[in-house]
Amino acid sequence: MNRKNQNWTYLFSANFFGILNDNFLKNCIVFIGITWAMPSWLNLSQLTTLVAAGLVIPFLFFSPLSGKIAVKYSKQAVFRWCKIAEFPIVLLACIAFWKQWILVGLLSVFIMGIQSCLYSPSKYGLIRDIGGEKEVSFGSGIFEMMAFLAILAGTVVAAVMADYSSVFFVCVLLFVFAICGFLFARSIKVKELPVEQDANSSVNPIRFLKQSYLFAKQYPSINTGVFGVAMFWLMGGLIQMNLVIHCKQTLGVSSSVTGIVMAIAATGIAVGCGLAGKLSGKGISTRVIFIGLTGMTLFLLLIILLNPGIYLFAAFIFFLALTGGLFEVPCLAMIQQANIGRKLGDMLAYMNFVTFIFILIGTLIFSSVTYFSNENSVAVFGAILALCLFTMFVMYKRK
């Protein structure tokens, strides 16, 4: 195996174990923490919301800082030091599990979110450092595929641990995943562009957003890519929230079956991301973006018009997710391929920042549609279809 292939393996694996540990911790707090003695104001839905917020809120406040770090320092060093920082966070989480302290558990999730945010632009930036301009589509596709497989694995393993294992094994796995992530991260050896010690990007979120948008306007593909990635996550978040309502209220299936459908969706995205990397070849194919958006439109229409039973619905969800992966990866590659040197770190942080703003907008859309439609899941799918068509229109105008 040559050095480039080794670096690909190390980067994909380090990313996998990092996201695996994030989602394993998050879901363990929900599945296991709900059985602990909790404050009177905290129930399951509130706990789930707080845990999700713990991994989201850091990206809204610390993304500007994470971009500046990726510009001023070695991305490999940032990756390694953040993986080292994962060990005391895991230790704090283990204390929460042993003592059954739910607030300490929530604090550990929040700190883990900060840690994940701080090295996110650095790890994404390494895709271009390893593969060069010609392999950003391939690298982005496999990178995202491994990320969604990690999300799926973290959810499944946490559920199994909650039902069949002890706190001891939960703590062991938290440390094992952290160790694996660190070992793979420290094995990456790649030549980076020189750092920029005089990086002048603001760490003020509002000012950072304005500066980044104006800078990205000089490179049209960046804002187009950021919009595409953000819309993918907005629509994906809506689909994920709507699956719970649709499976339980419209299809009348159990929580276990709902979980299987959500796992099918995660698998579909992973397959789509990997396939997008292959189809795009050594460049960026806007054709793949429109294949993805067209596929999403088709399967959303089938769900709305046919109102299928659980088996056909699960199949439609798989292909809806797969075509979503086809759409997202070339958008990410458009940002990666921009010839902007170390400023790529800022642009990846800008992508994270905008993405999580869009995720919050998606939450508001979901709340509004379900409120006015009396929790009609088909109406939510209709809203997602409208967003998909809007995205296709914007991407067509910008191509």
Side-chain angles (χ1 to χ4, degrees):
M1 184 184 296
N2 61 37
R3 188 68 225 182
K4 179 191 288 187
N5 289 337
Q6 287 179 333
N7 281 325
W8 280 133
T9 300
Y10 297 146
L11 177 63
F12 297 151
S13 300
N15 184 51
F16 175 85
F17 281 105
I19 295 176
L20 173 62
N21 222 15
D22 288 351
N23 284 272
F24 179 66
L25 173 60
K26 177 185 79 172
N27 286 290
C28 279
I29 293 293
V30 173
F31 294 149
I32 299 175
I34 194 61
T35 65
W36 302 343
M38 294 196 297
S40 58
W41 52 268
L42 193 61
N43 57 31
L44 177 58
S45 61
Q46 291 166 334
L47 176 62
T48 304
T49 300
L50 287 173
V51 168
L55 289 176
V56 170
I57 290 175
F59 283 86
L60 296 176
F61 291 97
F62 294 97
S63 284
L65 178 60
S66 69
K68 196 161 193 168
I69 289 172
V71 172
K72 292 186 65 173
Y73 303 101
S74 162
K75 286 170 278 189
Q76 295 163 89
V78 172
F79 203 172
R80 288 194 295 269
W81 280 106
C82 284
K83 297 310 292 182
I84 290 173
E86 194 168 320
F87 292 106
I89 300 171
V90 165
L91 179 60
L92 180 66
C94 290
I95 293 172
F97 282 110
W98 280 110
K99 296 292 186 179
Q100 297 189 0
W101 290 341
I102 191 65
L103 296 181
V104 176
L106 289 171
L107 177 63
S108 68
V109 172
F110 179 70
I111 299 174
M112 186 77 92
I114 295 174
Q115 177 249 11
S116 298
C117 172
L118 290 179
Y119 75 84
S120 179
S122 295
K123 70 175 182 179
Y124 272 100
L126 287 170
I127 294 174
R128 183 178 173 119
D129 290 328
I130 294 173
E133 183 179 339
K134 292 184 178 180
E135 293 190 27
V136 291
S137 292
F138 164 78
S140 297
I142 305 302
F143 195 83
E144 293 292 89
M145 180 184 75
M146 297 298 288
F148 283 102
L149 289 176
I151 292 171
L152 174 61
T155 303
V156 172
V157 175
V160 171
M161 289 290 107
D163 287 339
Y164 300 108
S165 192
S166 65
V167 168
F168 172 77
F169 286 107
V170 170
C171 295
V172 167
L173 284 180
L174 284 169
F175 273 104
V176 167
F177 296 155
I179 291 169
C180 290
F182 168 72
L183 291 176
F184 282 117
R186 72 185 295 270
S187 299
I188 299 170
K189 307 291 182 186
V190 65
K191 184 178 180 180
E192 301 180 33
L193 291 174
V195 300
E196 294 184 6
Q197 291 294 339
D198 58 344
N200 59 359
S201 56
S202 175
V203 295
N204 178 296
I206 303 301
R207 193 174 297 123
F208 171 78
L209 184 61
K210 180 180 178 181
Q211 287 179 346
S212 298
Y213 173 76
L214 292 175
F215 177 84
K217 281 185 70 175
Q218 303 172 61
Y219 305 86
S221 65
I222 296 180
N223 275 329
T224 302
V226 168
F227 172 78
V229 171
M231 285 302 298
F232 164 80
W233 282 100
L234 187 158
M235 291 186 286
L238 280 169
I239 292 169
Q240 184 181 41
M241 290 184 286
N242 201 42
L243 282 178
V244 177
I245 293 179
H246 192 80
C247 287
K248 287 183 172 295
Q249 296 186 5
T250 303
L251 299 177
V253 298
S254 66
S255 296
S256 298
V257 174
T258 301
I260 292 171
V261 174
M262 295 177 76
I264 288 171
T267 305
I269 295 175
V271 173
C273 288
L275 187 59
K278 293 288 187 182
L279 290 176
S280 296
K282 294 186 178 297
I284 296 172
S285 176
T286 55
R287 183 182 75 253
V288 176
I289 291 176
F290 288 102
I291 289 173
L293 286 170
T294 303
M296 292 176 68
T297 301
L298 172 63
F299 289 106
L300 283 166
L301 278 171
L302 289 173
I303 290 170
I304 293 168
L305 296 176
L306 299 181
N307 192 20
I310 182 60
Y311 295 110
L312 190 55
F313 176 75
F316 287 164
I317 286 296
F318 174 82
F319 287 107
L320 172 62
L322 186 152
T323 51
L326 288 177
F327 159 60
E328 191 246 1
V329 167
C331 293
L332 176 58
M334 290 171 75
I335 306 167
Q336 291 276 5
Q337 201 173 47
N339 190 22
I340 53 177
R342 297 291 301 203
K343 282 292 289 184
L344 180 60
D346 275 334
M347 291 300 98
L348 291 169
Y350 168 54
M351 177 194 74
N352 285 337
F353 192 86
V354 174
T355 294
F356 282 96
I357 291 175
F358 273 49
I359 289 173
L360 291 179
I361 293 172
T363 303
L364 292 175
I365 292 173
F366 180 77
S367 299
S368 300
V369 174
T370 52
Y371 176 79
F372 288 109
S373 68
N374 195 26
E375 294 195 336
N376 186 331
S377 59
V378 176
V380 178
F381 281 123
I384 299 168
L385 175 61
L387 289 167
C388 190
L389 292 171
F390 170 72
T391 304
M392 188 180 297
F393 172 76
V394 173
M395 299 298 285
Y396 178 78
K397 294 288 285 185
R398 287 176 171 266
K399 75 173 184 175

